[in-house]
């Protein structure tokens, strides 16, 4: 009998044996002990399973990765030090110099920069596409060296919704996997594997942690993409790895191939591990994820409905609103709600938006998003302040856009705060 997702939030991951600690212990140890030199040699050859050095694997981290894997319905998972590291590894694990991939242009700014600037320097080219284009038009962006397609379930900060089925068809008809950053939706509201995604990433820094205490990331593999069926495209998985005595990951590890390769090569060489202490905090967050996400969505919908009725508000984008262009996609892919983040603007443009924000008392101006405390950010003045209005529009971000992350406070108090701030602007 398969447990429901609320039960998985609590019960998956750490499964103590008789006499072991009931709560997930923090294995605060860099290394692990063996009795013979040969035993340890086998671990280095990936011939035996076990822990030897925390840069590669740690039991606390693995238990938390296993929980997220169960929540997403995946085959294997790994934690990373941040969402940035997760997205970098997810792509770099299957792309090398000379390769190309396709990403939605509406993705998180940090990922946009990673793909468009930093990975370009590594010889990997990314084409950014308008994710709302029809399928036939998007198909034109595929090249013979295209190796992956990347999108976000709900984009940060424009909260646009990803059409999974359209992109899964496009990716698979070109023989490449679909990678989806599921940070804002979380597996409580959407499980991308059920809609054809092959690999899921997370910035666990957001709702999964939920309290704004630890930066972290995670990669989950569905195990569904058949690397061996596209042998020439993915030599890293389908030809011998000389740094591991000629192992062929896709042959030796089956559904675990992609994550094993990412751990054995990328974690070994780049070392972006999550600290076991942070993984422990993340696990506490995951235990209440199902309760929190539900409340975030209820509160956000009430705030969105309030804002929509205000004379001084220029526009509101929240997919759960009937008025949103994404309402159809929310109904299909996120029937229980999207997330607690919405975007809106005050009439009068950039300057009025800033004036309005400065009047807020309960909602705080911070870079963070998606945790228990209501917070907001004006991309044009903060994360994207180096861009002109024109450049902002080209990046799909309206200069007056306010990203509002609705927290877990009583929603009447959040609305009262917005109300008094609106009253103070002319
Ligand atoms: C925050 C965020 C990231 C980056 O994650 P960090 O944990 O800050 O490195 C990636 N994707 C999305 C959708 C995000 O919101």
């Amino acid at each position: 009998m398969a447990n429901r997702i609320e039960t998985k939030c609590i019960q998956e991951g750490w499964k103590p044996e008789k006499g072991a600690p009931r709560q997930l212990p923090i294995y605060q140890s860099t290394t692990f002990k063996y009795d013979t030199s040969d035993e340890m040699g086998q671990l280095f050859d990936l011939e035996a399973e076990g822990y030897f050095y925390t840069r590669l694997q740690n039991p606390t981290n693995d238990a938390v990765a296993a929980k997220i894997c169960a929540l997403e319905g995946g085959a294997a998972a790994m934690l990373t030090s941040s969402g940035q590291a997760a997205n970098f590894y997810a792509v770099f694990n299957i792309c090398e110099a000379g390769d190309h991939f396709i990403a939605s242009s509406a993705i998180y700014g940090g990922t946009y920069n990673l793909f468009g600037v930093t990975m370009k320097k590594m010889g990997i080219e990314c084409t950014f596409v308008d994710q709302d284009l029809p399928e036939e038009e998007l198909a034109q962006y595929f090249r013979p060296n295209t190796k992956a397609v990347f999108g976000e379930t709900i984009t940060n900060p424009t909260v646009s919704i990803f059409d999974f089925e359209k992109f899964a068809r496009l990716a698979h008809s070109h023989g490449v996997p679909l990678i989806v950053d599921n940070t804002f939706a979380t597996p409580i509201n959407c499980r991308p594997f059920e809609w054809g995604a092959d690999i899921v990433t997370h910035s666990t820094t957001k709702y999964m942690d939920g309290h704004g205490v630890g930066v972290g990331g995670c990669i989950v593999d569905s195990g569904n993409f058949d690397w061996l069926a596209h042998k020439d495209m993915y030599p890293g998985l389908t030809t011998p790895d000389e740094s591991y005595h000629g192992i062929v990951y896709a042959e030796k590890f089956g559904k675990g191939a992609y994550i094993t390769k990412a751990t054995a090569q990328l974690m070994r060489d780049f070392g972006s591990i999550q600290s076991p202490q942070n993984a422990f905090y993340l696990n506490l967050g995951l235990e209440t994820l199902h309760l929190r996400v539900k409340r975030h969505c209820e509160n956000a919908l009430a705030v969105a409905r309030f804002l929509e009725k205000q004379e001084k508000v220029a526009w509101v984008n929240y997919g759960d609103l009937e008025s949103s262009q994404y309402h159809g996609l929310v109904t299909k892919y996120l029937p229980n709600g999207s997330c607690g983040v919405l975007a809106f603007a005050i009439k009068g443009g950039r300057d009025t938006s800033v004036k309005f924000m400065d009047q807020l008392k309960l909602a705080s101006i911070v870079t963070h998003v998606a945790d228990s405390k209501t917070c907001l950010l004006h991309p044009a003045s903060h994360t994207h302040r180096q861009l002109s209005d024109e450049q902002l529009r080209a990046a799909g971000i309206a200069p007056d856009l306010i990203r509002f992350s609705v927290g877990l406070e009583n929603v009447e108090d959040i609305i009262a705060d917005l109300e008094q701030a609106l009253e103070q602007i002319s």
Side-chain angles (χ1 to χ4, degrees):
M1 193 189 74
N3 281 322
R4 292 164 181 81
I5 199 145
E6 296 81 359
T7 308
K8 289 180 183 168
C9 283
I10 309 287
Q11 296 286 345
E12 287 291 341
W14 176 245
K15 303 222 165 128
E17 318 231 303
K18 191 170 99 174
R22 179 64 194 92
Q23 311 313 337
L24 172 66
I26 304 170
Y27 281 84
Q28 194 70 53
S29 180
T30 56
T31 195
F32 302 82
K33 177 189 173 293
Y34 289 91
D35 290 337
T36 66
S37 166
D38 188 47
E39 272 175 345
M40 191 129 112
Q42 290 197 4
L43 296 174
F44 272 98
D45 285 352
L46 303 181
E47 286 301 331
E49 268 188 53
Y51 296 98
F52 55 104
Y53 192 55
T54 285
R55 169 148 45 79
L56 281 108
Q57 278 186 300
N58 173 284
T60 307
N61 291 17
D62 281 4
V64 180
K67 179 177 280 188
I68 297 173
C69 188
L71 292 174
E72 287 288 4
M78 68 195 285
L79 296 190
T80 57
S81 55
S82 65
Q84 286 298 111
N87 284 330
F88 172 55
Y89 283 18
V91 175
F92 195 64
N93 202 32
I94 48 173
C95 286
E96 55 187 51
D99 286 344
H100 168 257
F101 69 106
I102 292 168
S104 159
S105 60
I107 56 173
Y108 173 68
T111 316
Y112 191 94
N113 197 69
L114 166 68
F115 291 173
V117 180
T118 301
M119 290 185 73
K120 193 174 175 183
K121 292 180 189 160
M122 305 169 94
I124 298 168
E125 200 184 340
C126 179
T127 301
F128 295 102
V129 299
D130 174 353
Q131 64 177 15
D132 297 330
L133 287 176
E135 200 164 331
E136 316 77 70
E137 279 182 56
L138 288 166
Q140 297 169 9
Y141 294 102
F142 284 82
R143 305 177 188 170
N145 62 342
T146 302
K147 298 294 171 76
V149 175
F150 184 98
E152 278 170 19
T153 306
I154 305 168
T155 60
N156 176 4
T158 51
V159 290
S160 306
I161 309 294
F162 191 68
D163 189 344
F164 287 99
E165 286 186 331
K166 176 174 77 177
F167 278 97
R169 265 194 311 270
L170 277 164
H172 296 157
S173 64
H174 291 86
V176 306
L178 175 62
I179 306 174
V180 176
D181 180 332
N182 197 32
T183 298
F184 271 17
T186 84
I188 302 300
N189 280 348
C190 181
R191 287 169 300 281
F193 297 152
E194 295 172 3
W195 298 103
D198 300 285
I199 292 147
V200 161
T201 61
H202 282 281
S203 164
T204 62
T205 318
K206 315 294 163 56
Y207 289 119
M208 283 189 167
D209 171 300
H211 304 81
V213 296
V215 173
C218 184
I219 309 173
V220 188
D221 179 19
S222 65
N224 292 337
F225 194 81
D226 188 352
W227 308 106
L228 289 167
H230 307 280
K231 218 168 169 357
D232 299 340
M233 297 262 289
Y234 302 101
L237 281 150
T238 61
T239 60
D241 176 0
E242 294 314 331
S243 69
Y244 274 111
H245 311 290
I247 279 178
V248 177
Y249 291 97
E251 284 171 5
K252 191 170 168 69
F253 298 103
K255 284 183 181 293
Y258 174 89
I259 292 293
T260 304
K261 177 181 180 288
T263 303
Q265 291 180 346
L266 304 186
M267 216 38 118
R268 178 195 62 189
D269 297 349
F270 293 114
S272 322
I273 58 153
Q274 188 161 141
S275 80
Q277 178 89 39
N278 275 9
F280 173 83
Y281 294 134
L282 171 56
N283 185 56
L284 288 183
L286 290 169
E287 290 197 357
T288 57
L289 186 65
H290 58 294
L291 297 171
R292 293 185 290 103
V293 164
K294 187 162 178 277
R295 178 60 71 86
H296 278 293
C297 291
E298 287 166 9
N299 282 0
L301 184 57
V303 167
R305 289 205 197 289
F306 165 80
L307 287 171
E308 205 175 29
K309 286 196 289 243
Q310 302 309 306
E311 187 58 35
K312 291 175 184 169
V313 171
W315 53 265
V316 183
N317 188 18
Y318 185 60
D320 304 46
L321 286 178
E322 292 76 7
S323 61
S324 164
Q325 72 173 110
Y326 295 107
H327 191 65
L329 292 176
V330 166
T331 308
K332 178 173 181 180
Y333 297 120
L334 300 142
N336 298 324
S338 60
C339 65
V341 183
L342 52 90
F344 72 98
I346 302 292
K347 283 181 189 161
R350 218 166 159 144
D351 295 343
T352 324
S353 292
V354 170
K355 213 181 285 169
F356 161 78
M357 289 174 62
D358 288 345
Q359 305 303 323
L360 290 164
K361 296 189 167 67
L362 185 146
S364 51
I365 301 172
V366 297
T367 310
H368 198 236
V369 62
D371 72 41
S372 58
K373 298 170 192 71
T374 294
C375 63
L376 76 164
L377 178 97
H378 182 222
S381 315
H382 306 130
T383 45
H384 297 65
R385 69 178 295 130
Q386 73 282 10
L387 303 188
S388 67
D389 282 11
E390 213 165 287
Q391 288 172 315
L392 278 169
R393 278 192 208 93
I397 297 167
D400 54 357
L401 181 148
I402 294 172
R403 181 182 75 186
F404 198 76
S405 176
V406 183
L408 299 175
E409 301 92 345
N410 184 305
V411 72
E412 298 303 327
D413 294 334
I414 301 170
I415 290 173
D417 189 32
L418 288 164
E419 212 160 20
Q420 64 81 25
L422 281 169
E423 268 166 26
Q424 294 189 52
I425 53 167
S426 47

